[in-house]
Amino acid sequence: MSEWLVLVLAMLAACAVVVVITLVRHRTATEDDDPSETPDVIEYMTMWIGVVYAIVLGLAIAGVWEARVAAQDHVQAEAQALHEISERVRVYPPEVRDRTRADVNAYVGHVVTTEWKSMVDHGRVTERGDELLQKIRADVSDYQPKSDFEAQAYQPLVDQVTAADQARAARSDSTGATMPGVVWFGLIAGAVVTIGMVFVLQIRRTPRELVLAGLFSALIAFLLFLIWDFDAPYSRGLASSTAPFLDMFPGITR
């Protein structure tokens, strides 16, 4: 099922629950039940509960968005480092240059096909990717420069391999969800309390009140979906993509 379809269904369900509960309460209310008698302290508490929950939602969205941006930065850094290796190695003899470039292309091809799928499905990188990166490291570090010109290119190449390895490790660390379970419990519980306070104010079934209550609950459902979607940087609808690899290595196809 599409994640956007899940979002629409969740928002519609949130609206429907609020509307149904409101109509049921209206039908079961006693004749002397007057909504205008809501104590002022309840209105004050409702306002502050909404404010506090809005702050929590904002912090949660900022946190998962920052994690998503960082995940995309890791991909960009890794792709850039591999591209630099492929370009800088041109000063080496043809056999060394071609072997290194072939190993870089093999690694990138593995990442954008097999490994990316493993990250999406299982939340981890592959051992084969580690092996392919190790081959690149061996290509670069095991070669003994034959001239001063080659020697000047050796250390920058080693540095780029290190940068690619570090970016890969960071990418591996950010494959899973970033929000702890206890935070999700707080977000969902807060949503229930915040929407529940709407009923404390004894809303009725007038079209205006029903529309506002439905939109309010749908907005909370949307924000929770947004947090959930950003929570796994590589595996959901608005996920980080392999575009940096494909841009740097146009010959690689998924």
Side-chain angles (χ1 to χ4, degrees):
M1 183 182 294
S2 170
E3 293 174 357
W4 292 106
L5 179 59
V6 172
L7 169 61
V8 172
L9 293 177
M11 295 176 67
L12 292 177
C15 293
V17 168
V18 172
V19 172
V20 168
I21 293 178
T22 302
L23 293 176
V24 170
R25 289 186 69 253
H26 177 76
R27 291 180 180 276
T28 58
T30 59
E31 295 182 356
D32 59 349
D33 187 16
D34 185 4
S36 64
E37 295 180 355
T38 301
D40 293 339
V41 66
I42 293 182
E43 296 182 358
Y44 180 79
M45 291 173 59
T46 301
M47 178 191 70
W48 275 108
I49 288 174
V51 170
V52 171
Y53 187 64
I55 294 174
V56 172
L57 278 178
L59 292 175
I61 293 174
V64 294
W65 175 258
E66 182 179 356
R68 180 188 179 278
V69 172
Q72 189 65 34
D73 289 342
H74 300 327
V75 177
Q76 181 68 43
E78 185 178 3
Q80 183 64 48
L82 292 168
H83 178 71
E84 288 295 323
I85 294 172
S86 184
E87 291 298 320
R88 290 172 182 259
V89 79
R90 70 177 181 270
V91 303
Y92 283 2
E95 64 274 10
V96 178
R97 178 193 64 206
D98 295 342
R99 182 177 68 249
T100 303
R101 286 179 173 175
D103 287 341
V104 169
N105 290 337
Y107 173 79
V108 173
H110 176 78
V111 169
V112 300
T113 54
T114 306
E115 186 163 86
W116 206 269
K117 189 175 186 301
S118 175
M119 291 165 56
V120 172
D121 296 340
H122 307 295
R124 62 176 182 269
V125 297
T126 63
E127 293 182 0
R128 178 59 178 165
D130 294 334
E131 295 173 359
L132 292 173
L133 184 60
Q134 187 59 35
K135 288 185 64 178
I136 298 173
R137 182 185 296 277
D139 292 337
V140 172
S141 60
D142 292 353
Y143 176 72
Q144 296 183 357
K146 302 297 191 301
S147 65
D148 291 340
F149 186 51
E150 291 180 0
Q152 291 175 4
Y154 177 80
Q155 188 57 49
L157 277 168
V158 173
D159 292 342
Q160 292 300 326
V161 172
T162 301
D165 192 13
Q166 291 175 342
R168 174 181 172 80
R171 173 165 61 85
S172 176
D173 292 338
S174 59
T175 53
T178 58
M179 296 287 287
V182 65
V183 176
W184 273 113
F185 174 80
L187 290 174
I188 295 174
V192 172
V193 172
T194 303
I195 295 177
M197 292 302 292
V198 173
F199 303 109
V200 175
L201 295 177
Q202 304 183 47
I203 64 171
R204 291 302 188 179
R205 62 170 184 174
T206 61
R208 180 179 61 181
E209 291 176 328
L210 289 179
V211 168
L212 290 176
L215 290 176
F216 178 69
S217 58
L219 175 61
I220 291 181
F222 170 75
L223 293 176
L224 289 176
F225 172 85
L226 201 63
I227 295 172
W228 173 82
D229 195 73
F230 287 160
D231 191 31
Y234 297 108
S235 61
R236 291 176 185 154
L238 299 177
S240 299
S241 69
T242 59
F245 287 108
L246 299 177
D247 292 341
M248 297 289 183
F249 299 90
I252 304 297
T253 57
R254 299 196 62 172

